[in-house]
Amino acid sequence: MAVPETPPGACPQCWQHAYDKSIHRKLKPREDCQPCLDHMRNGCPYLVPKKRSSWW
């Protein structure tokens, strides 16, 4: 199954790690993914564009 394209307003790393099973497949049992841990501790390193408001 192909990984769906990252929707606007979503972090590319979060999206890829959530939907691409091959990223976490190489981890041993009870081993944490370091990029995911860093992401949880420090937040998204990407400037995620928000959806354009249709108010104006």
Side-chain angles (χ1 to χ4, degrees), residues 28-40:
K28 296 174 185 166
R30 308 211 21 105
E31 181 181 3
D32 292 325
C33 176
Q34 292 305 315
C36 286
L37 288 176
D38 181 55
H39 222 65
M40 286 190 295

Side-chain angles (χ1 to χ4, degrees), residues 14-49:
C14 292
W15 190 261
Q16 186 178 15
H17 278 242
Y19 289 98
D20 189 358
K21 305 247 186 252
S22 67
I23 293 172
H24 295 121
R25 191 174 294 144
K26 64 182 177 188
L27 296 174
K28 296 174 185 166
R30 308 211 21 105
E31 181 181 3
D32 292 325
C33 176
Q34 292 305 315
C36 286
L37 288 176
D38 181 55
H39 222 65
M40 286 190 295
R41 290 182 189 129
N42 302 317
C44 293
Y46 301 99
L47 292 175
V48 180

Side-chain angles (χ1 to χ4, degrees), residues 52-56:
R52 190 172 180 189
S53 177
S54 62
W55 177 252
W56 296 102

